[in-house]
Amino acid sequence: VCSSDLGTSTTTNAAASKEFNEPFHAGNQGGRSVWWSWRAPADGVLTLDTRGSSYDTLLAVYTGNRVYSLSEVLSNDDAAQNTRTSKLLAGVRSNVVYRIAVDGFAGASGSTVLNYEFGPTNLVLLTVAATEGGSVSPSAGTIAVQVGSLQTIRATPSPYFDFTGWG
């Protein structure tokens, strides 16, 4: 992504591959990822979508410096029902570097379009954690959420465990 607040980046993933230990984006194996790095100029919301891409896309945002130790911020397979493009609205923190991946569902490839828009805004920090016997999505850690917005958190119990509530 570039330094402006609004724009589009276009490339192809036809010659791309998946790196060793690269995470599954939006829960799909993918296989032809292209990556961008972006540093947030202020606290705010980064909106990303793949509208205009020629194939079924996966979109994910991470923090971290090594592919094997990335922490997922958000990911998306389809922006809406019957849509092959992806879309995310991620709360981002000032001066943090974010890694953005676009991949092809089940290894699909073609023309890749990444549209981006950044808007500074007030954020609150939300700590997400799971106890033994389950997991949460987005993954455990601290996430930035726009004040007044809706945040979806999914709790999944491990086999032979029950989900009993939020704390």
Side-chain angles (χ1 to χ4, degrees):
V1 184
C2 77
S3 59
S4 67
D5 292 343
L6 175 69
T8 298
S9 180
T10 304
T11 189
T12 180
N13 73 339
S17 63
K18 191 172 189 77
E19 292 186 48
F20 180 71
N21 283 330
E22 182 175 330
F24 286 13
H25 311 297
N28 185 275
Q29 182 174 343
R32 295 184 180 273
S33 60
V34 289
W35 291 80
W36 289 262
S37 291
W38 177 75
R39 182 181 303 273
D43 286 358
V45 174
L46 177 64
T47 303
L48 301 167
D49 72 64
T50 60
R51 186 178 21 84
S53 296
S54 66
Y55 60 96
D56 190 352
T57 62
L58 306 168
L59 177 61
V61 177
Y62 300 92
T63 57
N65 295 320
R66 304 272 189 259
V67 73
Y68 59 84
S69 62
L70 294 172
S71 295
E72 182 182 298
V73 175
L74 283 173
S75 63
N76 179 257
D77 179 6
D78 294 324
Q81 195 171 19
N82 300 319
T83 303
R84 298 180 343 150
T85 59
S86 307
K87 183 174 182 176
L88 292 174
L89 279 77
V92 295
R93 303 285 296 165
S94 177
N95 212 30
V96 173
V97 175
Y98 293 89
R99 313 296 177 184
I100 302 163
V102 176
D103 203 345
F105 185 89
S109 66
S111 174
T112 305
V113 177
L114 179 65
N115 303 294
Y116 58 92
E117 182 176 357
F118 171 74
T121 189
N122 291 328
L123 300 173
V124 293
L125 298 180
L126 176 64
T127 301
V128 179
T131 57
E132 182 181 348
S135 63
V136 291
S137 176
S139 56
T142 301
I143 57 175
V145 179
Q146 182 179 1
V147 173
S149 69
L150 178 65
Q151 177 68 43
T152 301
I153 298 173
R154 181 176 298 123
T156 305
S158 298
Y160 310 110
F161 285 83
D162 291 323
F163 176 76
T164 57
W166 297 100

